[in-house]
Amino acid sequence: VVAIHTGLRQGELFGLRWEDVDLEGGTLSFQRTLSGAKGGPTFTTPKNDKARRVRLTPQATEALRDHRKRQLEERMRFAGLWQDHGLVFCSTVGTPLSRHNVYSRSFKPLLERAGLPHTFRFHDLRHTFATLMASSGGHAKVVQEMLGHATTSITLDLYSHVLQDMQEDAVDRLGALLS
């Protein structure tokens, strides 16, 4: 839910800590990303070395509230094993997640339940977010900032196919304004 509602990269989601989450204000602040280096998981600065804040949809805020409650219950159940890294998305014992485990244990079964092909990648949630933002009239600068792209030209180049499809709608709106 949070991935499709924010457009975050998988490493950004996995590096998210509860201290970065403002459920009352409905925002997430990104300070780090989790990378799966050969020596094990490491936290690094975000791509482009640029932290950013992202506004949450009401659905994403509610999903995070529910997730926090479930996580606290897990934490109590696995009290002797729990390793507190403050992570929003972590294993059942609090450790950083593995991309491969998430794909095979969680994402792939989710694709099956949704009737989506196995060729759908976790990263495609980011593209879906960007496409939905652009097609709903989201300004390119806003989409660029939410995705963490260095420039709007990167955003426009990656999602220009969506913008071309929106041309007819934009021209119709312009015609209505000018009539």
Side-chain angles (χ1 to χ4, degrees):
V1 171
V2 177
I4 194 120
H5 282 253
T6 61
L8 295 174
R9 297 173 181 96
Q10 191 174 34
E12 293 170 338
L13 286 166
F14 293 176
L16 190 62
R17 291 195 174 124
W18 284 111
E19 67 193 41
D20 305 324
V21 179
D22 178 1
L23 292 173
E24 295 307 312
T27 60
L28 300 177
S29 182
F30 296 94
Q31 313 296 324
R32 74 203 62 74
T33 186
L34 178 68
S35 60
K38 288 182 181 179
T42 56
F43 294 99
T44 59
T45 57
K47 200 168 181 180
N48 302 326
D49 290 325
K50 190 175 174 187
R52 67 188 190 283
R53 183 175 299 275
V54 174
R55 177 147 304 280
L56 294 166
T57 62
Q59 298 91 334
T61 303
E62 190 59 31
L64 282 168
R65 278 194 177 99
D66 292 344
H67 175 68
R68 178 74 173 150
K69 182 181 174 188
R70 284 188 309 273
Q71 189 181 71
L72 290 171
E73 290 167 358
E74 266 184 1
R75 186 179 184 147
M76 288 172 42
R77 191 169 50 245
F78 296 104
L81 300 173
W82 187 267
Q83 297 177 33
D84 192 5
H85 295 277
L87 296 171
V88 173
F89 301 106
C90 58
S91 73
T92 55
V93 293
T95 57
L97 290 171
S98 156
R99 292 172 193 259
H100 304 293
N101 286 346
V102 168
Y103 180 79
S104 62
R105 296 178 187 169
S106 302
F107 194 65
K108 192 174 175 182
L110 183 66
L111 292 175
E112 288 173 8
R113 284 195 307 273
L116 294 170
H118 290 276
T119 54
F120 194 90
R121 304 164 300 149
F122 191 92
H123 193 75
D124 291 331
L125 296 173
R126 181 174 166 80
H127 287 275
T128 301
F129 164 83
T131 301
L132 292 171
M133 285 290 289
S135 65
S136 68
H139 190 280
K141 184 67 178 172
V142 172
V143 178
Q144 174 236 324
E145 288 176 359
M146 290 186 78
L147 292 173
H149 289 154
T151 65
T152 54
S153 63
I154 293 171
T155 306
L156 294 172
D157 287 346
L158 285 172
Y159 302 104
S160 63
H161 62 285
V162 176
L163 300 177
Q164 289 170 2
D165 293 344
M166 295 174 1
Q167 186 177 28
E168 184 177 338
D169 185 45
V171 169
D172 289 346
R173 283 194 312 261
L174 177 62
L177 287 171
L178 297 174
S179 62

